[in-house]
Amino acid sequence: MSTKEWPLWEVFIRAKQGLNHKHVGSLHAADLQMAIENARDVYTRRMEGVSIWVVESKHVHASEPSEQEALFEPANDKIYRHPTFYDLPEELNHM
Amino acid sequence: MEIKLEALFQDKIDQEIKIEPRDWMPEKYRKTLLRQISQHAHSEIVGMLPEGNWITRAPNLRRKVALLAKVQDEAGHGLYLYSAAETLGMSRDEMFEELHSGKAKYSSIFNYPTLTWADMGAIGWLVDGAAIMNQVPLCRTSYGPYARAMVRVCKEESFHQRQGYEIMLTLSKGTEAQKALAQDALNRWWWPSIMMFGPNDDNSPNSAQSMKWKIKRFSNDELRQKFVDVTVAQTEILGLSIPDKDLKWNEERGHYDFGVIDWEEFFQVVAGNGPCNKQRLKARVDAWENGAWVREAATAYAEKRELRTKNQTEAA
Amino acid sequence: MAVNKDILIDYILHLADNSMILGQRNAEWCGHGPVLEQDIALTNITLDLIGEARSLYQYAAELTGGNSTEDTVAFLRDVMQYRNTLLLEQHNTDWAYTITRQFFYDVFHYYLQEALVNSADERIKEIAKKTIKESAYHLKWSSEWMIRLGDGTEISHLKMQNAVNDLWEYTGEFFIPSETEIEMTEIGIAPDLTLLSKKWKSKVEDILTEATLSIPSSDFQQKGGKKGLHSEHLGFILAEMQYLQRAYPGSEW
């Protein structure tokens, strides 16, 4: 009697106007509409959001953890991308 | 190769770096987590039943909405936890199958009956109190999705214990009959509550490994002691007494000593012989089976609609 | 025109009891839903309904005066004093009946709020302004389920058609005005039910058609709830709901 399970969806919530949508968790729903409503009922019961995105989990493509070093470590020594790299006179405020 | 990976893995754990779903992990770590998280999720879902019992009988409207919201939260907590477990490669339906077949366990406490309204107080206060003791350290557990689910659970859980304690407080300040209800509920829920922390440390085979992997951060006995220590003072405020004649302050240890737990009872309930094991499991199986046609129909409709949209686009 | 307080209270109780009794019925589902997400969804609706009932009971209690509270109003009236329509006390039976009952009520409830936001009674108007938002969501939710299950599988279609056929005879009661409603309509507190009835029929027809369900041809309609003549079910609902208040009279909870 095993029936097909409803697909899994990833839920993203915008907590208030001006903020990014942030991943909050996942849930199951038969279709898109239901996924948004389920997200509303499951993840915004305590006024956590003003906007919802749902993405079917199978459509999320992720980077490989094994490539973590190759992907992200080369950024470590590019300190010149950060403002603190540059020496400026003290009297120069607000730059 | 495997040994090197395992050393790297332990190294990450030791450095408090969280493990994420797609990271390499020892098979036994995955299995241990899957068992623990799914068991935790099942406990939330089965835990809805003893309290759910009383929603339609709540004594006033304020209590009714609070209880309803609380039991609903438990469904949400189950859901967050199932989601966390799903990242380890088992579907929610598979976990349900394990629950329904009796293969998976859930917290034994929910195999005790809720006989009076005071049980809503005792459960919120003691059972949720014990659960919170267990759950707060889990917010820092080594597996990312589990830790994140627990942060959400703990945040929502904070009203549950207060809700329960307030019920106990109102009853203990009420009529003689109400006070008697409160004491009776404490008598019945005390021992099962302190059993919730699991067997004594020297009798808990998986604990050491779980501590090493930082799935667990405190031992069963440590948490149990902490719970007893804080609960005694709370009981005094209620003017009720804990049903343990051996309970007394130990100046030297800086903790309360308490009586011997009846582990025979605990293992009987775990084995399926508690007062409500069969009833609880049947309620879950019934809900699942009676809902099958609903889930199937929603899938069928979603497929039909997708097909229609596709045909329309092609026709256009 | 002066408002007769007793008649106003009677009308408020009708509004409140509808949502209270449906909420009480829906609450039986908590922990037993067909899927976790929908268990949570239905409970949200239930909490809205009971919340609305509370606001109205509080208003009724204030008008009654004395030691009256939302709880004395909800817990200390017997079957004959309840003013909900018969549809709302029907058994849950299964998800098909529950959805259909909810849908029939939601359509009525939504259009009712739409009218009540212009009620001549300030308090009812304020409550309706809050309720209409909740009710709009309920209607969306139950309409989608009607369509999904009506147009789902053969089994779900059959179950839904049965539910629609069985519950149909309880839908007309919404629109048969009681003496209270006639008076309340005259002074602009309650809406004209014939107008509401038209909106209800048209919405229900639209959704049932999309759900591939047929509209029952039977004209016969049950009635009585609005004046306290209920089905046998309500006595059991109240026995359960009021048990503690009756067993321990006068206690604080």
Side-chain angles (χ1 to χ4, degrees):
Chain A
M1 195 228 48
S2 93
T3 57
K4 206 154 88 187
E5 192 167 3
W6 289 356
L8 190 67
W9 303 73
E10 300 302 321
V11 180
F12 302 81
I13 306 269
R14 185 200 298 288
K16 59 178 187 189
Q17 296 295 107
L19 296 181
N20 289 326
H21 284 80
K22 196 177 148 202
H23 184 243
V24 294
S26 56
L27 49 75
H28 288 273
D31 56 49
L32 192 63
Q33 193 129 29
M34 199 203 277
I36 291 180
E37 287 163 25
N38 287 354
R40 177 255 192 198
D41 286 320
V42 173
Y43 289 105
T44 68
R45 296 199 305 283
R46 288 178 170 81
M47 303 177 288
E48 291 98 332
V50 295
S51 165
I52 295 170
W53 287 352
V54 290
V55 180
E56 209 178 321
S57 307
K58 68 177 185 196
H59 296 310
V60 174
H61 301 278
S63 60
E64 279 297 329
S66 61
E67 290 174 355
Q68 196 171 338
E69 291 178 6
L71 286 172
F72 307 111
E73 285 192 9
N76 286 357
D77 63 354
K78 315 288 192 294
I79 46 174
Y80 44 79
R81 286 200 175 108
H82 299 275
T84 46
F85 178 73
Y86 301 93
D87 290 324
L88 297 177
E90 291 262 337
E91 55 270 33
L92 184 78
N93 288 323
H94 311 299
M95 182 180 277
Chain B
M1 183 66 187
E2 181 85 7
I3 294 169
K4 199 183 145 216
L5 283 171
E6 198 148 348
L8 278 172
F9 174 83
Q10 188 61 49
D11 200 43
K12 269 166 92 176
I13 300 266
D14 293 342
Q15 289 181 59
E16 298 286 337
I17 295 171
K18 295 271 187 258
I19 307 303
E20 294 296 341
R22 291 159 57 90
D23 295 344
W24 186 89
M25 60 185 84
E27 188 51 22
K28 200 163 164 255
Y29 175 83
R30 197 183 67 84
K31 281 209 169 118
T32 304
L33 269 174
L34 200 50
R35 195 189 59 227
Q36 181 172 332
I37 304 173
S38 62
Q39 205 166 305
H40 193 163
H42 297 327
S43 301
E44 296 281 356
I45 300 312
V46 177
M48 296 172 76
L49 301 168
E51 288 176 286
N53 261 335
W54 280 89
I55 294 169
T56 54
R57 289 179 288 174
N60 63 35
L61 295 174
R62 180 173 175 269
R63 293 281 180 224
K64 190 187 289 286
V65 292
L67 185 62
L68 196 48
K70 182 192 180 230
V71 179
Q72 182 195 40
D73 271 354
E74 280 154 16
H77 298 170
L79 193 153
Y80 308 151
L81 289 160
Y82 284 124
S83 296
E86 279 175 287
T87 63
L88 292 161
M90 190 185 249
S91 73
R92 195 199 290 175
D93 281 9
E94 287 171 315
M95 288 184 256
F96 278 155
E97 248 161 62
E98 288 199 347
L99 172 69
H100 298 161
S101 70
K103 191 178 162 216
K105 300 281 178 230
Y106 54 87
S107 182
S108 283
I109 193 98
F110 302 119
N111 291 316
Y112 290 89
T114 49
L115 302 178
T116 75
W117 171 251
D119 292 18
M120 297 305 99
I123 289 183
W125 171 40
L126 299 173
V127 178
D128 288 283
I132 290 167
M133 255 338 144
N134 260 321
Q135 287 168 355
V136 169
L138 286 173
C139 296
R140 295 189 297 124
T141 194
S142 60
Y143 186 59
Y146 191 22
R148 290 192 287 274
M150 289 316 300
V151 169
R152 192 168 264 280
V153 169
C154 286
K155 216 187 281 175
E156 298 187 352
E157 194 82 37
S158 55
F159 98 81
H160 295 184
Q161 197 188 10
R162 294 172 69 102
Q163 180 256 170
Y165 194 77
E166 198 194 74
I167 291 173
M168 291 302 269
L169 197 62
T170 311
L171 292 174
S172 62
K173 285 200 288 195
T175 62
E176 281 307 312
Q178 286 178 306
K179 216 176 290 175
L181 287 177
Q183 182 61 55
D184 163 71
L186 172 56
N187 293 348
R188 282 181 291 110
W189 291 95
W190 172 255
W191 289 105
S193 296
I194 63 170
M195 288 179 198
M196 275 176 76
F197 297 93
N200 290 124
D201 293 348
D202 47 17
N203 206 359
S204 178
N206 302 320
S207 278
Q209 182 63 69
S210 283
M211 301 271 272
K212 190 169 171 235
W213 279 332
K214 298 192 177 168
I215 296 174
K216 262 175 100 151
R217 302 243 170 200
F218 297 99
S219 77
N220 296 353
D221 284 332
E222 280 172 320
L223 290 168
R224 183 171 11 248
Q225 183 68 60
K226 207 171 151 196
F227 175 74
V228 171
D229 289 347
V230 301
T231 308
V232 172
Q234 295 166 358
T235 313
E236 280 163 10
I237 296 174
L238 295 174
L240 300 175
S241 49
I242 289 174
D244 178 358
K245 60 179 174 27
D246 298 318
L247 185 83
K248 61 170 183 295
W249 179 251
N250 182 327
E251 193 64 52
E252 210 172 296
R253 291 203 308 127
H255 291 292
Y256 281 94
D257 290 336
F258 51 93
V260 181
I261 292 170
D262 181 358
W263 291 112
E264 171 59 20
E265 176 181 322
F266 177 78
F267 288 112
Q268 282 295 341
V269 180
V270 173
N273 298 323
C276 300
N277 292 60
K278 292 187 185 73
Q279 181 188 335
R280 299 289 185 244
L281 208 55
K282 183 175 183 303
R284 284 315 312 161
V285 171
D286 285 351
W288 187 245
E289 288 179 354
N290 295 336
W293 71 269
V294 178
R295 298 189 301 275
E296 276 162 35
T299 301
Y301 177 73
E303 281 166 2
K304 267 189 214 176
R305 209 169 62 162
E306 202 168 315
L307 201 67
R308 275 178 216 154
T309 325
K310 214 172 114 192
N311 290 343
Q312 272 168 9
T313 344
E314 276 166 16
Chain C
M1 198 160 155
V3 182
N4 178 317
K5 199 170 80 173
D6 290 337
I7 297 176
L8 178 59
I9 291 173
D10 196 62
Y11 182 61
I12 298 165
L13 290 178
H14 162 61
L15 299 176
D17 291 344
N18 276 345
S19 288
M20 184 67 230
I21 295 302
L22 182 59
Q24 182 75 4
R25 272 292 191 221
N26 283 348
E28 295 170 22
W29 271 104
C30 188
H32 305 273
V35 67
L36 220 38
E37 284 82 352
Q38 294 303 322
D39 204 306
I40 296 172
L42 185 61
T43 300
N44 270 348
I45 291 174
T46 307
L47 285 167
D48 286 342
L49 292 172
I50 300 177
E52 180 207 356
R54 288 183 73 186
S55 304
L56 291 161
Y57 285 148
Q58 283 158 14
Y59 184 26
E62 284 166 35
L63 290 171
T64 308
N67 295 325
S68 212
T69 66
E70 58 171 5
D71 292 322
T72 61
V73 176
F75 290 85
L76 301 180
R77 280 179 302 140
D78 205 347
V79 170
M80 297 297 282
Q81 284 129 18
Y82 259 75
R83 293 289 176 262
N84 61 285
T85 66
L86 302 174
L87 175 73
L88 305 162
E89 63 201 46
Q90 300 305 308
H91 279 293
N92 288 345
T93 313
D94 62 9
W95 193 251
Y97 272 75
T98 300
I99 291 292
T100 305
R101 184 183 63 196
Q102 186 70 40
F103 170 68
F104 285 157
Y105 182 60
D106 288 342
V107 180
F108 166 73
H109 195 220
Y110 175 74
Y111 289 124
L112 177 65
Q113 305 312 311
E114 201 183 60
L116 289 179
V117 296
N118 296 314
S119 171
D121 184 281
E122 278 305 313
R123 187 78 168 266
I124 291 178
K125 187 170 159 172
E126 284 313 307
I127 295 170
K129 277 185 189 165
K130 179 171 176 289
T131 305
I132 192 167
K133 294 176 200 159
E134 298 166 348
S135 163
Y137 185 77
H138 304 170
L139 178 56
K140 178 174 151 63
W141 181 86
S142 62
S143 300
E144 284 168 12
W145 269 110
M146 289 301 289
I147 295 164
R148 197 177 276 136
L149 295 177
D151 193 16
T153 59
E154 241 173 85
I155 295 175
S156 72
H157 178 84
L158 198 69
K159 282 179 183 285
M160 291 305 284
Q161 190 64 61
N162 281 341
V164 167
N165 294 349
D166 279 0
L167 294 174
W168 189 255
E169 66 177 0
Y170 298 109
T171 58
E173 190 185 1
F174 288 133
F175 310 107
I176 306 169
S178 63
E179 280 169 33
T180 294
E181 283 172 306
I182 292 169
E183 282 205 38
M184 289 291 112
T185 304
E186 269 172 21
I187 55 175
I189 289 179
D192 177 359
L193 290 177
T194 28
L195 220 68
L196 227 77
S197 165
K198 279 188 197 129
K199 289 185 180 180
W200 187 89
K201 279 208 181 94
S202 140
K203 178 73 178 176
V204 167
E205 276 173 21
D206 284 353
I207 298 294
L208 290 189
T209 307
E210 200 181 338
T212 72
L213 294 167
S214 52
I215 294 148
S217 50
S218 150
D219 280 338
F220 180 76
Q221 292 294 332
Q222 300 285 352
K223 59 175 193 289
K226 288 179 183 179
K227 53 177 182 174
L229 297 172
H230 291 276
S231 66
E232 288 179 348
H233 308 314
L234 187 66
F236 288 99
I237 294 175
L238 296 183
E240 198 169 326
M241 178 170 135
Q242 301 179 340
Y243 135 71
L244 282 166
Q245 292 272 355
R246 305 288 189 183
Y248 301 88
S251 304
E252 289 292 323
W253 296 97

